[in-house]
Every structure is written in C-alpha cells, then in structure tokens.
Amino acid sequence: MISVNLLAIFYLISGVLFILALRGLSSPETSRRGNLYGIIGMALAIGVTVLSVGNFSSGFIYLIIFLAIGGSIGAFIAFKIPMTAMPELVAGFHSLVGLAAVFVAISAFLNPEIFNLGTPGSIKIASLIEMSLGAAIGAITFTGSIIAFLKLRGIMSGSPITFFGQHYLNLILGICLIGLISYLCITQINTLFWTIIVISFLVGVLLIIPIGGADMPVVISMLNSYSGWAAAGIGFTLENTALIITGALVGSSGAILSYIMCKGMNRSFFNVILGGWGATDQTSTSSSKEQKKPVKNGNADDAAFLMKNASSVIIVPGYGMAVAQAQHALREMVDALKKNGVKVSYAIHPVAGRMPGHMNVLLAEANVPYDEVFELEEINNDFANCDVAYVIGANDVTNPVAKSDPQSPIYGMPVLDVEKSKSVLFVKRSLSPGYAGIDNDLFYRDNTLMLFADAKKMTEEIVKSL
C-alpha cells in the first residue's frame, strides 16, 4: 500500500502536469505537448489511486476490470469519432463526469463511515455541504449535457424552447436547492438528499433547453466548468487532492473560457447561462422576403478564375467544412493559389463550429501554418481590402443581419465582415438557414457568388480548375 505522504506527492506532481497541460493547450503550437502533459498527469493520478487500494481484494479486482472496460470504450470512441461529432462527444463526456459525481455523493451519503465522514444520520456538516453541492452540480451537469448532446446531434431542435415564467421557475428551484441543502445539514433526512438530486436533474434540463443553437460553443465550455466544480466538490468530500486540483482547474478554466467567448460575442455571460439570449423569435422580420430574392449562381471554374486573378484571398471556414471533411482539399487549394502569388489568410470566428476551437483543430489537422490563421478581431479590418472571401460552410458568423436587425437572435454578435470584400464565394449545399435558424442576408448581396455543392467536392473541383 502506498503511503499517505507519497500519495500526496504524486497527486501534487499530477496537479502540476495538469497546469502545464492547460498552459500548452492555450496555443496551437504547443497543444500537442500540453495534451501529452495532461495524459501523463491523468495516468499518474489514476495509477497511484489504484495502488492506494493496497491489496488484491475483490474490490481491487473489480476496479481493474471497470478501468479496463471504460478505457477500452474510450479508446474505441476516440479512434472512431469524426471531428464533426466531437462537440456532442464532449457534451456526452461531461454528462458522465456529472453522473459520476452524483454516484460518489450518493455512496458517501449512504456509507459515510467508509469515507471517514461519520455515521448515517451523523455526518460531518462540512462534508454534508460538500457532497450536497457536488451532487447538485453533478446532476445539473448530467441532464444539461444530455440536452446539449441532443441539440448538437439534431435529435432535439436547436431552437430555444421556452415557456411562460421559465426564469421565475428556475429562480424558485435554485432557492429551493439552497434551502434544502441548509435543512439537510440540520436534519440529515435521507429524503431531502434525494429531493436535492431530483430537483438538480430538472434544473439541468431547464437551464439548457432555452439556449439557442448559436450559443452551443458557450454551452459546451459552461458545462465543462460545471463538471469541474462537481469533481472539486466531491474531491473535498473524499479528501482527494487530485480531484480537488483537477476539478478546480477544469471549473475555473471553463468559466473563464465561457466569459471570454461571451465577451467576444458581445453578449452577457449571465444572459447566456440563464437562457436569455436566443429566447426571441428565431426568424427576423425580413427573412421571408429575403428567401424570394434572386441569388447569383456560380461553379468551380468561376471561383478558380476569381481567386487566380486576385492578389489576396481570405478563407472563412465553418461547420460545413467540418461536415464535408474539406480541410485537406482546402489546404491543396491554398497551396495552388500561393504558387500563383496570391496572398491567403484564414479568418476564424470564436463560435465557428460547435465548440471552442473547432475550426482551429480542423485546420491544424490539415497542417495549415499557424501564422496564416487569424481571429476575428485580428483580421476583420482586412476584408475591406480583400479581393475574394472564400466562405466554406460558415453561416451565422458571416451574417450581416447581426449588425442591422434588432429582432434577430444574433443581433449584436460580432461577425466576420466578409460582405466588404470585392467578391464573396459562398460554398453551401442550399439556401437553408444556419444553426441559429435565420436567413443569411449575405446570400443575396450583389458581390456574392453562391457555389451550391458539397464543400469538399467543390473545393476539389476548384483545385482542378486552378
């Protein structure tokens, strides 16, 4: 059996590795190294935890069996999952973290003597608060992540689901949770603990259903934060240093990321959390008229001619590129343009795709140089001097309606100013609206040429034309 002091040292080392992992993941150039630090840190934390069990009892054997089963399932999913499904996979994993926190809290509440927390009906107050908060946050994370998964997967509508008095109901339930946790600490009645978990499951559903599809990247990072705080709460209950450190890192980094993304979208963090944004009518007043406007239709030869004779081209990748797995074909097209002396840059919107950094990961997979990829605030002014903007599957993040229609659910969100380019090539299968459920005014601009096709197939045809 590993000693307590040695266990603490190994947990501290794993905590340092987790911090180095976060630092590495802050930049695409160091992300691989950061990911490796995280893997080593987690392997170390799991390894010393297993060794701390101390003997080859039946419990130890079960632990190894379940680790093998879980690890095998995780490895299989990691190998098979396409990048397009990564956001819902992340949401699914968050739900498992939340559910694990709930199960550990239930175990600690029913068998406190095993965890040195007291006896049933006489649990330490501090431990009772910690396990109650961990269970509540974990339950909210579980059902909230399930709803996010269903929305991202298309099983549930991505549009906000609202009803009269929704915010007041959420407020009442939140107050009830606080009151029940306080009363549980006084009475330690079993029924109260189960009631807290049930209400928390309901709160998770009610928090996520009113959030629209355009906010899904924020929801993913927010649920990531919740899962961290749930783990930290359970870590305090179990007096497990690794859980406390890991949970605090995940919780705080997820909250900071959510805030940064909300700031980048010019939206209130609390409005998104409470479902305030996206709760308006999903169609702007002019959308029905815009759909009747004529559009300019083009083909690969037209696009190749415009880009080959341009001095500068800005690529705007979106979820359509991810669906078609067009990043490698896009890289080939860019290489061909560079041979013709064309300056090429990539413009990334902070919420392009379905999770933070979705487009960056796809471009990195195609070995796109990091110095050619720019965030919205770095490149938005360049569109006015750009000859061609090649929009490949990005819809809501290029919609000028965000700057002109106060009734639009994306009004006020900074968007890429692609309409200011001399020519816009928009690759899309149809004129269908984006994930926010609204029409894109950019389709009907005089300088826009629509390329109706699969993103990968169209890009490959352009490469042949070049």
Side-chain angles (χ1 to χ4, degrees):
M1 179 177 178
I2 192 169
S3 68
V4 176
N5 290 336
L6 196 57
L7 185 67
I9 292 173
F10 280 124
Y11 280 159
L12 181 61
I13 294 172
S14 67
V16 172
L17 288 169
F18 292 146
I19 294 172
L20 292 174
L22 281 178
R23 179 179 176 83
L25 292 171
S26 64
S27 169
E29 295 177 337
T30 58
S31 59
R32 288 182 182 272
R33 189 191 317 150
N35 202 25
L36 181 60
Y37 285 143
I39 292 171
I40 295 172
M42 185 56 66
L44 181 62
I46 292 173
V48 296
T49 301
V50 172
L51 292 175
S52 69
V53 173
N55 58 67
F56 290 91
S57 62
S58 60
F60 182 88
I61 300 301
Y62 284 133
L63 178 62
I64 297 300
I65 291 173
F66 288 129
L67 278 174
I69 293 173
S72 300
I73 294 173
F76 177 78
I77 292 174
F79 277 112
K80 292 294 184 180
I81 197 75
M83 273 304 302
T84 49
M86 191 61 69
E88 51 258 49
L89 176 67
V90 172
F93 282 170
H94 288 162
S95 72
L96 296 179
V97 175
L99 191 60
V102 173
F103 283 156
V104 173
I106 291 172
S107 178
F109 183 77
L110 297 179
N111 303 283
E113 63 276 4
I114 296 177
F115 301 96
N116 298 317
L117 305 177
T119 57
S122 184
I123 302 174
K124 299 174 185 176
I125 298 300
S127 298
L128 203 56
I129 294 173
E130 292 158 2
M131 73 175 68
S132 298
L133 288 174
I137 298 173
I140 292 171
T141 304
F142 173 69
T143 50
S145 298
I146 293 297
I147 297 300
F149 174 87
L150 295 175
K151 281 176 173 277
L152 289 164
R153 197 69 178 172
I155 300 173
M156 178 183 288
S157 172
S159 301
I161 301 173
T162 59
F163 54 85
F164 179 75
Q166 188 170 29
H167 296 309
Y168 292 107
L169 177 60
N170 289 342
L171 178 62
I172 292 170
L173 290 176
I175 295 172
C176 285
L177 280 177
I178 297 173
L180 286 171
I181 292 174
S182 301
Y183 195 49
L184 175 66
C185 293
I186 298 172
T187 63
Q188 301 205 16
I189 300 174
N190 284 17
T191 308
L192 293 177
F193 184 74
W194 295 110
T195 304
I196 289 170
I197 293 176
V198 171
I199 291 177
S200 298
F201 280 140
L202 178 60
V203 170
V205 174
L206 294 175
L207 279 178
I208 304 303
I209 59 171
I211 299 180
D215 296 325
M216 274 301 126
V218 180
V219 172
I220 293 295
S221 60
M222 179 187 73
L223 291 171
N224 180 53
S225 178
Y226 286 177
S227 67
W229 296 126
I234 296 302
F236 279 108
T237 301
L238 303 181
E239 297 182 351
N240 186 296
T241 308
L243 266 179
I244 295 171
I245 294 174
T246 308
L249 287 173
V250 173
S252 57
S253 61
I256 292 170
L257 177 59
S258 300
Y259 173 77
I260 290 173
M261 295 188 70
C262 285
K263 186 177 180 181
M265 294 186 293
N266 194 31
R267 309 308 301 190
S268 166
F269 176 73
F270 292 103
N271 277 353
V272 175
I273 299 303
L274 298 174
W277 184 31
T280 58
D281 185 5
Q282 283 292 294
T283 56
S284 66
T285 55
S286 59
S287 62
S288 60
K289 296 180 180 178
E290 288 177 334
Q291 289 177 353
K292 298 177 182 178
K293 290 182 179 180
V295 296
K296 293 181 180 178
N297 217 335
N299 55 39
D301 291 332
D302 298 328
F305 177 80
L306 284 172
M307 286 193 282
K308 189 174 183 179
N309 291 281
S311 59
S312 63
V313 173
I314 298 179
I315 311 290
V316 182
Y319 188 66
M321 182 189 77
V323 172
Q325 289 290 287
Q327 61 269 25
H328 296 285
L330 184 65
R331 171 68 192 272
E332 290 181 33
M333 187 189 80
V334 170
D335 289 341
L337 289 173
K338 287 179 180 177
K339 290 179 181 178
N340 286 290
V342 181
K343 178 186 175 183
V344 182
S345 305
Y346 297 83
I348 306 292
H349 193 282
V351 295
R354 295 291 184 271
M355 68 177 185
H358 200 175
M359 296 301 103
N360 300 77
V361 174
L362 287 172
L363 295 179
E365 184 185 338
N367 295 316
V368 171
Y370 300 125
D371 57 358
E372 295 178 5
V373 181
F374 299 92
E375 300 294 334
L376 179 145
E377 64 274 5
E378 299 174 315
I379 200 170
N380 229 13
N381 292 331
D382 295 346
F383 282 104
N385 301 314
C386 170
D387 292 316
V388 177
Y390 185 73
V391 184
I392 179 166
N395 200 333
D396 298 324
V397 298
T398 62
N399 197 339
V401 167
K403 297 176 285 186
S404 60
D405 186 359
Q407 301 302 316
S408 171
I410 64 171
Y411 180 70
M413 181 181 84
V415 293
L416 293 162
D417 296 332
V418 293
E419 77 278 2
K420 295 181 180 179
S421 304
K422 293 179 182 177
S423 297
V424 177
L425 300 174
F426 207 120
V427 184
K428 204 172 184 298
R429 290 179 180 271
S430 67
L431 290 175
S432 60
Y435 206 65
I438 57 173
D439 200 24
N440 192 342
D441 183 60
L442 184 62
F443 299 160
Y444 314 101
R445 296 294 176 99
D446 292 335
N447 61 333
T448 298
L449 190 67
M450 297 299 298
L451 307 174
F452 294 112
D454 173 82
K456 182 179 181 181
K457 184 178 179 181
M458 174 57 69
T459 305
E460 288 174 343
E461 290 178 358
I462 292 174
V463 172
K464 293 178 182 177
S465 297
L466 287 171

